C-alpha cells in the first residue's frame, strides 16, 4: 500500500495494547463464552469498520474488544482454571483438527463450572447464526455527496452517419428466424 504525506497515520503509542497471547485450542475452548460476553463491543467495532471503511477510525473500539477478551479470560482463570485447562488439553491433544467431538465430557465439566461459579450459560447451538440488529450510540458517518451532472447534456450523442443503408447483399445472419 502506498502512503502519501496526506495520509494521517496514528502514532505507535496509540496502537499498543496488551495482546491476547493464547493458543488456538485456548481460544476455541472459550470461544462461545467470549463471543457471547463481548458481543456488543465486537458488533460496534465491526459496524465502525464497515461504515467508515478505515481501520484508523476504529482503533479505540478495537482496543475495547481486546480489553473485553482479556477480561473474560481473567475471569475464567479466577473461577474455572482447572476445568478450562482440562478442556483445553483435550481439544489440543485428542485430534489433529482441534475437534470437539472427543471432548464432550470435559466440555460438560467446564460448562457446569461456568454456570455455577460465573453464572454464564453456554449459548445454545445456532446462537451466533441468528440475525441481530445492533443499536449503536455513535452517529452514522456522513455519506459522500452525490456526483452532479449537467442536466441537458446528451449522454449518447447521435451518430454522424445517419443515412439509410442498403440491404445486405447476401442473406441475413439470422436466416433461421422466420417472420
Amino acid at each position: 500500500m502506498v502512503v502519501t504525506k496526506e495520509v494521517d497515520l496514528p502514532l505507535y503509542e496509540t496502537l499498543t495494547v496488551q495482546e491476547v497471547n493464547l493458543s488456538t485450542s485456548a481460544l476455541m475452548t472459550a470461544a462461545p463464552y467470549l463471543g457471547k460476553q463481548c458481543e456488543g463491543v465486537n458488533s460496534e467495532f465491526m459496524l465502525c469498520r464497515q461504515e467508515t471503511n478505515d481501520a484508523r477510525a476504529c482503533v479505540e473500539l478495537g482496543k475495547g474488544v481486546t480489553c473485553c477478551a482479556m477480561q473474560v479470560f481473567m475471569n475464567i482463570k479466577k473461577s474455572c482454571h482447572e476445568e478450562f485447562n482440562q478442556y483445553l488439553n483435550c481439544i489440543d491433544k485428542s485430534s489433529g483438527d482441534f475437534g470437539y467431538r472427543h471432548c464432550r465430557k470435559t466440555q460438560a465439566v467446564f460448562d457446569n463450572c461456568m454456570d455455577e461459579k460465573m453464572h454464564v450459560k453456554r449459548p445454545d447451538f445456532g446462537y451466533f447464526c441468528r440475525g441481530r440488529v445492533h443499536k449503536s450510540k455513535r452517529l452514522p458517518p456522513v455519506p459522500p455527496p452525490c456526483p452532479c451532472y449537467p442536466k441537458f447534456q446528451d449522454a449518447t450523442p447521435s451518430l454522424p452517419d445517419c443515412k439509410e443503408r442498403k440491404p445486405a447483399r447476401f442473406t441475413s445472419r439470422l436466416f433461421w428466424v422466420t417472420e
Side-chain angles (χ1 to χ4, degrees):
M1 180 174 124
V2 178
V3 179
T4 61
K5 64 181 178 182
E6 288 84 24
V7 175
D8 183 31
L9 293 176
L11 297 174
Y12 183 74
E13 292 80 27
T14 61
L15 298 176
T16 55
V17 67
Q18 184 180 3
E19 294 181 11
V20 182
N21 288 329
L22 294 173
S23 65
T24 302
S25 52
L27 291 171
M28 288 181 67
T29 301
Y33 300 104
L34 184 65
K36 180 133 186 202
Q37 290 181 352
C38 298
E39 183 176 13
V41 179
N42 191 40
S43 295
E44 187 69 29
F45 172 69
M46 294 307 291
L47 180 67
C48 177
R49 289 287 312 268
Q50 182 70 30
E51 285 180 344
T52 60
N53 200 17
D54 185 11
R56 296 171 294 172
C58 307
V59 170
E60 292 303 317
L61 291 171
K63 286 181 181 181
V65 172
T66 305
C67 181
C68 179
M70 290 297 291
Q71 194 66 37
V72 168
F73 282 111
M74 285 192 288
N75 290 341
I76 289 174
K77 184 177 180 181
K78 194 175 1 174
S79 302
C80 300
H81 184 67
E82 187 62 35
E83 294 86 353
F84 178 77
N85 280 338
Q86 287 175 354
Y87 187 32
L88 171 114
N89 287 330
C90 183
I91 288 177
D92 196 27
K93 296 176 180 170
S94 64
S95 67
D97 63 346
F98 301 109
Y100 292 111
R101 64 189 171 277
H102 304 292
C103 305
R104 295 301 179 188
K105 290 181 183 176
T106 54
Q107 176 185 343
V109 171
F110 177 59
D111 290 345
N112 287 336
C113 178
M114 291 292 288
D115 188 20
E116 291 171 5
K117 294 184 180 175
M118 292 181 60
H119 307 291
V120 178
K121 290 195 177 288
R122 182 183 189 89
D124 60 322
F125 187 74
Y127 174 81
F128 297 106
C129 297
R130 294 186 199 124
R132 291 182 219 13
V133 176
H134 176 72
K135 298 197 187 258
S136 178
K137 295 176 183 167
R138 291 181 311 109
L139 294 174
V142 179
C146 293
C148 295
Y149 301 107
K151 284 188 177 183
F152 299 108
Q153 182 180 2
D154 188 9
T156 57
S158 62
L159 297 172
D161 167 14
C162 294
K163 300 183 268 181
E164 288 288 323
R165 297 178 184 232
K166 293 189 262 180
R169 274 179 56 191
F170 303 106
T171 61
S172 167
R173 281 185 244 158
L174 305 173
F175 63 91
W176 64 86
V177 177
T178 58
E179 292 184 32

